[in-house]
Amino acid sequence: MIPVDKITPTMSSTYGAQYDVSKAFDDDYNTIAHTKIEDPNDYIEMDLDGNYKIAEFLVMNRPDGHTNRLNNSVVTMWDSNRTEHSCGTVLLVTNTGSEVVKVSCSNDHILVTKVRLTGSGPSLNVAEIRLCVGTKFGKSWISQY
């Protein structure tokens, strides 16, 4: 298990202090990370303290309306050579609050140093983010989900 304190998250903008990027990693499903409205390049980026094989990207949608803002967001990863690798797209099934969406990364053999969730507008809102990393013992969580 990799502790959350080994992840350095950043966000393209912040809607307000109560919506900062730390809310996506605080294990409280009632708080959200939220970029400014109409941020044309909204994203949440995670610099990882090391190289990891990311097998799945999990994101929990905000619990309180505007749930469609997460739909069609894109997960991208970079290796230590700064080569970009696509992981997949967040596709909401029910488009309701607190929905957990899993994006499976078919390139889980690549050692990743950075992961980015790019929104599809008008802003990016998430309750929680988790990364599932491949290990020789199976999968472990960056933090408990």
Side-chain angles (χ1 to χ4, degrees):
M1 177 138 129
I2 304 166
V4 172
D5 64 0
K6 299 295 183 183
I7 301 172
T8 304
T10 55
M11 196 160 59
S12 57
S13 63
T14 304
Y15 186 67
Q18 72 271 31
Y19 300 113
D20 69 52
V21 71
S22 69
K23 303 303 183 197
F25 302 92
D26 66 358
D27 289 321
D28 183 347
Y29 308 131
N30 295 308
T31 62
I32 63 170
H34 190 316
T35 61
K36 288 182 180 176
I37 303 295
E38 302 302 331
D39 180 351
N41 300 304
D42 53 350
Y43 66 83
I44 295 175
E45 193 167 88
M46 294 141 278
D47 283 313
L48 308 178
D49 184 19
N51 297 303
Y52 302 99
K53 295 179 181 180
I54 306 297
E56 293 173 337
F57 181 92
L58 290 167
V59 61
M60 177 179 270
N61 205 354
R62 65 184 292 173
D64 62 335
H66 301 293
T67 56
N68 60 327
R69 293 180 178 171
L70 184 58
N71 204 29
N72 295 316
S73 296
V74 176
V75 179
T76 309
M77 303 181 299
W78 286 265
D79 61 27
S80 59
N81 295 321
R82 298 183 172 291
T83 303
E84 184 176 313
H85 304 275
S86 175
C87 181
T89 302
V90 175
L91 298 174
L92 299 176
V93 177
T94 63
N95 203 25
T96 60
S98 301
E99 178 180 1
V100 176
V101 179
K102 175 177 72 172
V103 177
S104 295
C105 303
S106 60
N107 48 8
D108 62 355
H109 59 284
I110 298 168
L111 290 173
V112 175
T113 60
K114 182 183 290 191
V115 180
R116 177 184 277 191
L117 176 66
T118 304
S120 60
S123 66
L124 183 59
N125 319 155
V126 300
E128 294 295 319
I129 293 175
R130 298 295 176 267
L131 299 172
C132 186
V133 269
T135 69
K136 65 181 180 179
F137 301 108
K139 296 177 179 177
S140 63
W141 295 101
I142 282 185
S143 72
Q144 287 297 320
Y145 183 67

